[in-house]
């Protein structure tokens, strides 16, 4: 009896390919192709602006500035994902950022020292102001969420009214003038040379990130085997872990390449430790600014809420099919209310970064935030049809939008030109999403 495996191939028959295609290899690694494409697009944008500006764009100081400017938009975008996933919208985020930033300024310059007797030497004054701002953001978000979820007014109308009324309230609150002179410790939230964690902690954070990546890969593989799901090939696990660790350490190295001159007051202490000037001269690495660290924390927490907690699952279930979610016993009104409370908290954090960076609260803080936040979420893959969207995608979308704005500004393009580009990118992103959904249906 002839063994079929040893039989000669039929004449004219094409033998199977000896190696898998690139697309097949990507499928085996289970990489999100949309996120991968956005990373490639972000790299292409940065490279293009670097070439157009004669190699002056892609420098550590410019990239750190770009990242800090993107943090406020990115933080709010993590919440906007859940709002849009639940088939709602929030147009009031920019006005709420401006309002809470003004509250921060008034608290630290007038209300705390003059009314409550908390002078500059009062301990943790900045933390009390931050807590009050976060509570106020949650209150505003809860009020809007209650009107939307329990009274039934469309989210577009409620948040549009919030956009207009809250922006007007900022003027009455401040008397039409900017308020400056925030607490020195509070100012560190805005970043800068002083508002950074330093070179050593940056390397430490990078190593923690590498260990977390390795732990997640090992735990994911163990969980797949436990529940009988197919596991990725070992080469794919090693490849993903290696690329992830190299990316984290590369970002840490790039952040530490941003050097800042040492002040005269600190040179004596450094000379006592080194005996002379440090190896790098009288400049020290700033490392990650505090806004970047805050963004990393918010992204991790929001991803955990969206993917690992019942609240996040309920939001996606409601966005996918509201009627089915209600029939399944989900308290959909309470779920929607909580998404807006969360948005208020995130707006308060973004307001702290904005006010701390300027050391003041101006009437135009948060202006047009809502447009860039929605654009970041949509560019990151969130669908207006509901039920689809990721937190990391929105953060990456925020960096894509900010890289365009910062690159155009660096190249001498004025604000109207930046708005034109942002509008075109938003239309293309929504059009791409619509095309994909029609093709998949």
């Amino acid at each position: 009896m002839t063994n079929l495996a040893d039989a000669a191939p039929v004449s004219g028959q094409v033998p199977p390919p000896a190696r898998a295609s690139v697309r097949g290899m990507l499928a085996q690694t289970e990489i999100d192709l949309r996120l991968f494409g956005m990373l490639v697009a972000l790299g292409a944008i940065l490279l293009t602006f670097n070439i157009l500006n004669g190699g002056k764009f892609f420098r550590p100081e410019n990239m750190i500035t770009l990242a800090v400017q993107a943090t406020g938009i990115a933080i709010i975008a993590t919440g906007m994902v859940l709002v849009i996933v639940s088939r709602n919208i929030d147009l009031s985020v920019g006005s709420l950022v401006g309002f809470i930033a003004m509250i921060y300024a008034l608290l630290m310059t007038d209300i705390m020292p003059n009314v409550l007797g908390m002078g500059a030497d009062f301990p943790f004054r900045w933390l009390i102001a931050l807590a009050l701002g976060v509570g106020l953001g949650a209150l505003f978000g809860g009020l809007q969420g209650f009107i939307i979820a329990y009274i039934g007014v469309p989210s577009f109308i409620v948040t549009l009214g919030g956009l207009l009324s809250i922006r007007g309230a900022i003027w009455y609150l401040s008397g039409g003038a900017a308020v400056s002179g925030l607490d020195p410790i509070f100012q560190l939230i805005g970043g800068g040379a002083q508002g950074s964690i330093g070179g050593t902690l940056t390397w430490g954070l990078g190593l923690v990130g590498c260990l977390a990546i390795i732990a997640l890969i090992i735990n994911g593989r163990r969980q797949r085997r436990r529940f009988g799901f197919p596991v990725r090939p070992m080469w794919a696990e090693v490849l993903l872990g290696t690329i992830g660790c190299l990316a984290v350490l590369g970002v840490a190295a790039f952040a530490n390449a941003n050097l800042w001159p040492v002040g005269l007051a600190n040179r004596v202490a450094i000379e006592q430790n080194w005996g002379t000037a440090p190896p790098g001269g009288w400049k020290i690495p700033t490392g990650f600014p505090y806004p970047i660290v805050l963004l990393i924390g918010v992204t991790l927490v929001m991803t955990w809420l969206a993917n690992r907690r019942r609240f996040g699952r309920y939001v996606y279930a409601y966005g996918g099919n509201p009627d089915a979610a209600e029939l399944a016993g989900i308290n959909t009104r309470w779920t929607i209310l909580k998404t807006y409370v969360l948005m208020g908290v995130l707006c308060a954090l973004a307001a702290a970064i904005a006010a701390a960076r300027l050391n003041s609260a101006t009437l135009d803080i948060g202006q047009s935030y809502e447009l860039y936040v929605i654009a970041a979420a949509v560019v990151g893959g969130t669908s207006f049809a509901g039920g689809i969207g990721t937190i990391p995608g929105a953060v990456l979308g925020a960096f894509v939008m900010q890289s365009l704005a910062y690159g155009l500004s660096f190249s001498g393009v004025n604000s109207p030109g930046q708005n034109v580009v942002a509008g075109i990118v938003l239309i293309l992103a929504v059009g791409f999403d619509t095309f994909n959904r029609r093709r998949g249906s």
Side-chain angles (χ1 to χ4, degrees):
M1 185 174 180
T2 304
N3 190 349
L4 294 178
D6 298 332
V10 180
S11 178
Q13 184 178 355
V14 179
R19 57 184 179 180
S21 63
V22 175
R23 187 177 184 87
M25 294 177 66
L26 288 176
Q28 285 184 312
T29 59
E30 299 181 7
I31 294 176
D32 189 329
L33 293 180
R34 185 176 185 118
L35 286 180
F36 180 75
M38 288 181 60
L39 282 172
V40 174
L42 178 60
I45 291 171
L46 296 177
L47 181 61
T48 300
F49 282 121
N50 190 56
I51 294 173
L52 292 177
N53 291 279
K56 300 178 180 179
F57 181 74
F58 199 70
R59 291 180 177 177
E61 58 271 21
N62 293 332
M63 295 298 100
I64 291 294
T65 302
L66 187 157
V68 171
Q69 290 181 358
T71 52
I73 300 296
I75 286 174
I76 305 175
T78 61
M80 187 64 75
V81 169
L82 299 183
V83 171
I84 297 178
V85 162
S86 64
R87 303 191 180 192
N88 289 295
I89 198 68
D90 192 346
L91 302 177
S92 66
V93 292
S95 297
L96 188 56
V97 166
F99 184 83
I100 298 178
M102 188 62 68
I103 290 294
Y104 286 140
L106 291 174
L107 280 172
M108 285 178 276
T109 59
D110 184 23
I111 298 175
M112 282 184 161
N114 300 329
V115 179
L116 302 178
M118 299 180 182
D121 57 344
F122 191 89
F124 301 110
R125 188 176 67 154
W126 68 274
L127 187 59
I128 296 173
L130 182 62
L132 291 174
V134 169
L136 183 63
L139 181 64
F140 268 90
L143 177 60
Q144 291 190 131
F146 178 82
I147 297 173
I148 294 167
Y150 288 90
I151 299 179
V153 181
S155 60
F156 181 86
I157 299 300
V158 174
T159 57
L160 178 61
L163 181 153
L164 299 174
S165 59
I166 296 174
R167 181 60 65 181
I170 299 173
W171 191 91
Y172 286 105
L173 193 65
S174 65
V179 179
S180 59
L182 277 64
D183 186 272
I185 299 179
F186 187 88
Q187 294 178 37
L188 300 180
I189 302 176
Q194 300 297 324
S196 300
I197 65 175
T200 303
L201 286 178
T202 297
W203 281 120
L205 189 61
L207 292 176
V208 170
C210 292
L211 293 176
I213 290 173
I214 295 172
L216 287 173
I217 291 176
I218 294 175
N219 181 68
R221 190 175 184 86
R222 187 176 300 165
Q223 292 294 325
R224 284 170 176 263
R225 284 178 173 172
R226 178 184 176 187
F227 294 103
F229 290 102
V231 296
R232 285 189 289 251
M234 184 55 68
W235 67 264
E237 303 280 22
V238 174
L239 178 64
L240 290 176
T242 302
I243 293 177
C245 292
L246 289 177
V248 170
L249 294 177
V251 171
F254 200 76
N256 280 336
N258 184 31
L259 303 177
W260 189 260
V262 179
L264 292 176
N266 296 325
R267 291 192 178 187
V268 175
I270 294 176
E271 285 182 340
Q272 290 176 351
N273 293 329
W274 291 91
T276 181
W282 288 116
K283 289 186 178 182
I284 57 174
T286 60
F288 289 132
Y290 288 129
I292 300 298
V293 178
L294 180 60
L295 173 61
I296 294 172
V298 168
T299 303
L300 293 175
V301 171
M302 291 296 294
T303 303
W304 176 71
L305 285 176
N307 297 335
R308 299 293 182 180
R309 304 305 298 168
R310 185 181 301 173
F311 163 69
R313 295 296 90 201
Y314 283 176
V315 171
Y316 280 90
Y318 178 82
N321 192 324
D323 294 333
E326 290 189 3
L327 291 175
I330 297 175
N331 190 343
T332 56
R333 292 181 177 180
W334 176 235
T335 300
I336 293 174
L337 174 61
K338 287 192 289 187
T339 61
Y340 281 92
V341 171
L342 190 58
M343 280 295 295
V345 172
L346 295 174
C347 286
L349 296 178
I353 294 174
R357 284 186 62 218
L358 298 175
N359 187 26
S360 66
T362 59
L363 297 179
D364 60 348
I365 282 186
Q367 196 82 36
S368 301
Y369 264 38
E370 56 278 349
L371 302 180
Y372 280 90
V373 168
I374 294 172
V378 173
V379 170
T382 305
S383 174
F384 278 113
I388 300 174
T390 63
I391 304 299
V395 173
L396 190 55
F399 277 88
V400 169
M401 298 300 299
Q402 187 59 43
S403 65
L404 285 171
Y406 186 82
L408 291 170
S409 176
F410 194 87
S411 302
V413 179
N414 55 18
S415 181
Q418 298 173 30
N419 291 335
V420 169
V421 175
I424 293 174
V425 171
L426 179 59
I427 294 172
L428 290 176
V430 176
F432 181 73
D433 173 68
T434 304
F435 172 76
N436 280 340
R437 286 192 290 109
R438 286 180 178 177
R439 188 178 61 176
S441 61

